[in-house]
Amino acid sequence: MSKISVAVLGATGMIGQRFIQMLEDHPWFEIEGLYASERSNGKRLGDVLKVRDHEYLDDTMDRRIETMDIAKISKNCRIAFSGIPSDLAGPTETELAQAGVAVFTNAGSHRMDAHVPIIIPEVNPAQMASIRDQPTYSETGGYIVTNANCSSTGIAAPLHAINQAFGLKQVFVSTYQALSGAGYPGVPSLDAVGNVVPFISHEEEKMETELAKMLGTYEDGEFRYAGFKVMANCARVPVVDGHLESLVLDMEQQPTLDELSACLTGFRGEPQRLGLPSAPKQPIIVRTEDNRPQPVFDAMAGRPARARGMAVTIGRLRQSNGYYKAFAMSHNTLRGGAGGSVLNAELAKATGIL
Amino acid sequence: MSKISVAVLGATGMIGQRFIQMLEDHPWFEIEGLYASERSNGKRLGDVLKVRDHEYLDDTMDRRIETMDIAKISKNCRIAFSGIPSDLAGPTETELAQAGVAVFTNAGSHRMDAHVPIIIPEVNPAQMASIRDQPTYSETGGYIVTNANCSSTGIAAPLHAINQAFGLKQVFVSTYQALSGAGYPGVPSLDAVGNVVPFISHEEEKMETELAKMLGTYEDGEFRYAGFKVMANCARVPVVDGHLESLVLDMEQQPTLDELSACLTGFRGEPQRLGLPSAPKQPIIVRTEDNRPQPVFDAMAGRPARARGMAVTIGRLRQSNGYYKAFAMSHNTLRGGAGGSVLNAELAKATGIL
Amino acid sequence: MSKISVAVLGATGMIGQRFIQMLEDHPWFEIEGLYASERSNGKRLGDVLKVRDHEYLDDTMDRRIETMDIAKISKNCRIAFSGIPSDLAGPTETELAQAGVAVFTNAGSHRMDAHVPIIIPEVNPAQMASIRDQPTYSETGGYIVTNANCSSTGIAAPLHAINQAFGLKQVFVSTYQALSGAGYPGVPSLDAVGNVVPFISHEEEKMETELAKMLGTYEDGEFRYAGFKVMANCARVPVVDGHLESLVLDMEQQPTLDELSACLTGFRGEPQRLGLPSAPKQPIIVRTEDNRPQPVFDAMAGRPARARGMAVTIGRLRQSNGYYKAFAMSHNTLRGGAGGSVLNAELAKATGIL
Amino acid sequence: MSKISVAVLGATGMIGQRFIQMLEDHPWFEIEGLYASERSNGKRLGDVLKVRDHEYLDDTMDRRIETMDIAKISKNCRIAFSGIPSDLAGPTETELAQAGVAVFTNAGSHRMDAHVPIIIPEVNPAQMASIRDQPTYSETGGYIVTNANCSSTGIAAPLHAINQAFGLKQVFVSTYQALSGAGYPGVPSLDAVGNVVPFISHEEEKMETELAKMLGTYEDGEFRYAGFKVMANCARVPVVDGHLESLVLDMEQQPTLDELSACLTGFRGEPQRLGLPSAPKQPIIVRTEDNRPQPVFDAMAGRPARARGMAVTIGRLRQSNGYYKAFAMSHNTLRGGAGGSVLNAELAKATGIL
């Protein structure tokens, strides 16, 4: 089988480089185009990264990609992975879809569009059907699939597993989000060192709507939101990679903690059933230690090697006043960023949409 | 008026040094005794601190106290401020009370004892009456008054103001706690740098019980707990001083955000009415910026100079799904530690219990 | 005595705010004008700071200054303190001098100009005479005085004391520089958290020339550089305020460590003799502990209160292979920034140049 | 070829775990024994790590080793890798050598012993001959080989390459050392966050003697020290892994910077010639960017995969006043710890001493 030709948009940014990392030696996809902002046109990726202050992935890049030229965006590839900043991504992604490209994007621009799904393959693979209602799909075969916001992603699979098993009524979530979530240069160091910033623009609103959209359904051409409520408080902490999130859950049923733990540990989704290349064998890992999950230990959870950073880790399961409490941890630029979209494209391929 | 003679217990520790800082040039109290662990006996405070790795307050210490000898605990003073670790404090504090000393302690050992109050003067000054039911009070005049756990303290005054005005049903709180809360040496740096540890031993249990005790009443010789529920998730972040806490509040009434803000800003308690020396003029400060409170800016809130670090700062007041959301910030070793007990002693003095 | 009217240029930046902090309640100077970039014109200082992410000095600002309008630069004031970025400062400062203003600047633009001195009052007060050879001085009474680069400042006084007493041949210096030295937003947090960046643009060149200029003389209308050599390696560490510097010194004489320590401890300069308001009583503090100086303890060294952050701390005096080794510590935006220029203006005033 | 049976001493510590990481799937060695302090005896390694707060290498450990029991030290293995703290290692290591074991140790206890070499295979493989003069060698075949202190290791290969090519007279070095160098719990977080500690016990003395011993010779049963002088200033910075070191070099010859760079880039030693499994293909990597090396990018330098963290990175080559300046970077617990001793054992094996 020859590989499917893919392009990376925003290739010089933090998410773009994570796309490149996830796509190196990918069994199904092969990078054929690198796109970035205009001032990088015609330059080799390796040279552009060399003059930046922050080659985030430095060492991991293979020679072939390092020497590729950054080009004007072409519409010849079958797939475009988009790491373009959300405020710029919208029109470019639309044009590509109109030209017949399948766009898998980390940008938030289209997440709330009528027939554009926010997909986490373990959670809502069926919502992928919505792309058939995007006008471009019938015209050119192009479409847009988004991955969720990084904080929403970090708890979506556990919430989905719990919702299915025990019914979810309310979610109280506070985030301890990593600096890499703001890109580069992102957060000034004087705001980060020895400090916490209790504000991330639009993050709480995203969490309060995206989760309900994802855990809902797509029926009769419309997204029906799930009925539970989310109350989110979001803050930035001086951690490089990996979002930690505290949870208080209000459930319909009252399982024991052992039942809850078994539900999470045993959860498997479409990616696991289909054996998608970037799918972690166990998508939700439950830690039983007193003091886990922690960013330094658990951000990169996930096996096999290709799925490093793609599992979600849950710990400190407790009960209090009829509620359930826990901490969740996930990698914000892998599972919650580029890795999410790569997995979405793998799902599309495995289910014949690509 | 001659000053009241006081002793500091645990004088070489982090809280002990904060006691010394709060008591320097105090208008009512004068340090006459310094006590610490046995190995420091007979040494000058300044010399003991010199051989430690961490003279936390270094520069602020006045000459007279620096040259005082650390002594065996004597029972001659009227007041003992206790910064002894909780696992050691219990018996010592009991003995002192039996000997007629008024003990104001940061240790948790006696917080749940039958007639021992946890006092925050802005919140529950009336519970100070419970000390009259401590057996030692009638025998020798000695008694024990505790200050609350640092995380509970940081939100007690705002919750009290809100409870009085609008009725409080449920509190969902997640903490972003500073490293100094664990004392010295405390948290290993490899656990702290670029990391968050989602566990602080017994902290969540303390928050879920202490707040209800404090916001309740003392009647007929018993503490009656307040009726609202607290669900707490506690985590340690790489911040030196100042606990940040995210809040979701379930209230009986539904004030506007302006009404809520006015309620907090306008709140005054006994310390303000009595003009206690360490009382902040405005005990709850509401910030209207997008991204406050933050440890680096707001931990030391409180005026005048003697009350630095004694105010609580609230910000990001929002509504969501019928709940109210906010972030609160307070200094964990000043208002939430030594400063809390100094203010308690000031209340005792001003109300004739001392 | 009525106060001298002063302006602060670059008032909304980090150094500008430190100028405001140093000038509040100043016994000799009174802020009458605040200048910043064009987009702030006509706005109140407090409002401009409110929309920035980083009100560095937040709490310390007095009401009068907070409500002052930022204006177009006027040339009516007697003194201008300049915190303008070096790449923009040059022409503005020249114009002000031409208009008769005495400019005391933290910018590097004019440091190497023919008759412009780099002044540290403890080190080279006599070089202040060079301003009389600036053409503007005779024409309008205006002139430019610069303070040294922050890293040079941190070791200038100790090197001067040693050079006078024992003769200095070579200085090998490595810096551990604070993040605030890069201003705001400055260093991205992803470069700072858990990292060291071994490069600060032009910093090493500045250290290798400024120290020689300052420790030299001004004779016959020219600066004669001191004869010793400086070899500098500069790096940025994740510290908020305070530059640490390691030193290996090659001296002509071989004093004992006690003699060396006594030379530093006993050193006093013009600011001490003249009793300048912002002068630390003891400009060089020698610490004898194993592990000092450290940023968290020693950056703010200096008494009385107005001179906090204006002393230099030296520690770990050792000998090795005929060389002397030490670590030095100073506050980079106080002594090494705004405070340096304020002290220069005080020197000018006290010596009749103002 | 059957693998050589090895034991890891101090298996539960930070260096011990790095030994386990380096020895997993090792082509020549197989872990047969795990030893630690008495309280761990009889427990499975995975269980001991589970109750500690800091499973440093968590995820990387293979199942077989995780389930091995920690045992009393046996003397049956051919090789013992020692990660025992230096203050305890001495007698144990001596006993093992007396029993016929080849001890490769990270501890400093025996580094200055008469016939005990400090080996870095790229630098002084010939000094391995000294073990034949250890009394145990002829008696039982046992001996002790040490790796250098982590800070010495980080610059030994570059200094050796330069010394051979251009002659080295003096080395002025300042270190920016990582927290992991102090083990776990090691440095308290309150000393680390936002701070630098300019003191590491005995570190400077080690650098000033070990480098001269290693770059010298072993002749007539004695170590002859190299003639150059080292002046070291050592400090701890808030970095997790990877020591950065600033260098000023005084050389006999005056090569161009290009010649110097070529000398370093082209350097190869015995491990490269012998193709040792843990040897980096290129032991010294020269970076030409303005701002490298940095801990986050360069600590793990070294290829192939088994040699990650085993290369030294040099950058910012400059000249100043007849001296050469540079920054060097190396991984302190891999190349500068466990990895160094593993490479030493590989050298011993490849050269027939094992």
Side-chain angles (χ1 to χ4, degrees), chain C residues 224-274:
Chain C
R224 312 279 166 94
Y225 283 39
F228 62 87
K229 293 191 282 184
V230 177
M231 279 62 64
N233 276 305
C234 292
R236 186 83 68 192
V237 294
V239 162
V240 173
D241 284 318
H243 287 358
L244 183 71
E245 310 186 36
S246 75
L247 292 170
V248 179
L249 303 179
D250 184 10
M251 302 183 197
E252 279 165 17
Q253 297 174 41
Q254 295 278 315
T256 65
L257 291 179
D258 282 345
E259 289 164 347
L260 182 59
S261 175
C263 158
L264 294 166
T265 302
F267 174 79
R268 298 292 181 278
E270 272 314 271
Q272 288 72 39
R273 272 185 286 277
L274 295 169

Side-chain angles (χ1 to χ4, degrees), chain C residues 170 174 204 246 318 323, chain D residues 170 174 204 233 246 318 323:
Chain C
Q170 298 185 101
S174 289
E204 296 164 354
S246 75
R318 292 147 293 151
Y323 292 94
Chain D
Q170 298 186 102
S174 288
E204 294 164 354
N233 276 305
S246 75
R318 292 148 294 152
Y323 293 93

Side-chain angles (χ1 to χ4, degrees), chain D residues 89-106:
Chain D
T92 301
E93 294 177 359
T94 301
E95 279 174 44
L96 286 167
Q98 287 168 343
V101 177
V103 177
F104 293 88
T105 179
N106 181 60

Side-chain angles (χ1 to χ4, degrees), chain D residues 325-346:
Chain D
K325 302 192 293 186
F327 277 91
M329 173 90 229
S330 64
H331 196 293
N332 54 304
T333 62
L334 291 173
R335 173 51 100 155
S341 271
V342 170
L343 196 62
N344 286 347
E346 293 173 0

Side-chain angles (χ1 to χ4, degrees), chain B residues 121-168:
Chain B
E122 281 90 345
V123 172
N124 61 345
Q127 290 191 13
M128 194 68 102
S130 65
I131 61 127
R132 298 181 198 276
D133 296 336
Q134 291 181 25
T136 54
Y137 184 75
S138 51
E139 293 161 15
T140 64
Y143 56 85
I144 296 173
V145 173
T146 69
N147 63 248
N149 166 276
C150 48
S151 307
S152 305
T153 303
I155 54 174
L159 293 186
H160 173 60
I162 288 168
N163 193 30
Q164 280 187 313
F166 309 114
L168 204 51

Side-chain angles (χ1 to χ4, degrees), chain A residues 155 158-159 162 171-176 244-251 257 260-261 264 284-287 290 292-293 312-320 323-329, chain B residues 173-174 198 204 231-235:
Chain A
I155 55 174
L159 293 186
I162 288 168
V171 177
F172 302 87
V173 56
S174 289
T175 66
Y176 303 69
L244 183 72
E245 309 186 37
S246 75
L247 292 170
V248 180
L249 303 179
D250 185 10
M251 303 183 196
L257 291 179
L260 182 59
S261 176
L264 295 166
I284 304 172
I285 295 167
V286 176
R287 305 285 321 196
D290 264 356
R292 299 283 287 270
V312 172
T313 305
I314 297 273
R316 301 207 65 230
L317 295 176
R318 291 147 293 151
Q319 283 181 284
S320 171
Y323 293 94
Y324 293 81
K325 300 191 295 185
F327 277 92
M329 173 90 230
Chain B
V173 56
S174 288
E204 295 164 354
M231 279 61 66
N233 276 305
C234 292

Side-chain angles (χ1 to χ4, degrees), chain B residues 73 75 89-101 103 110 136 144:
Chain B
I73 289 183
K75 295 158 186 167
T92 301
E93 294 177 359
T94 302
E95 278 174 46
L96 286 167
Q98 286 167 343
V101 177
V103 177
H110 294 290
T136 54
I144 296 173

Side-chain angles (χ1 to χ4, degrees), chain B residues 219-331:
Chain B
E219 290 175 60
D220 307 326
E222 276 184 27
F223 289 101
R224 312 278 166 94
Y225 282 40
F228 62 87
K229 293 191 281 185
V230 177
M231 279 61 66
N233 276 305
C234 292
R236 186 83 68 194
V237 293
V239 161
V240 173
D241 284 318
H243 287 357
L244 183 71
E245 310 185 37
S246 75
L247 292 169
V248 180
L249 304 178
D250 184 10
M251 302 183 196
E252 281 165 16
Q253 297 174 40
Q254 295 277 314
T256 65
L257 291 179
D258 282 344
E259 288 165 347
L260 182 59
S261 177
C263 158
L264 295 166
T265 301
F267 174 79
R268 297 293 181 276
E270 274 310 275
Q272 287 72 39
R273 275 185 284 276
L274 295 167
L276 301 183
S278 304
K281 294 235 174 300
Q282 180 176 337
I284 304 171
I285 294 167
V286 177
R287 304 285 321 197
T288 56
E289 295 90 339
D290 264 356
N291 59 0
R292 300 282 288 268
Q294 293 181 25
V296 296
F297 291 125
D298 299 303
M300 290 302 284
R303 302 177 180 216
R306 178 165 294 284
R308 296 268 293 159
M310 294 294 286
V312 172
T313 305
I314 298 273
R316 300 207 66 227
L317 295 176
R318 291 148 294 151
Q319 281 181 285
S320 170
N321 294 312
Y323 293 94
Y324 293 81
K325 302 192 293 186
F327 277 92
M329 173 90 229
S330 64
H331 196 293

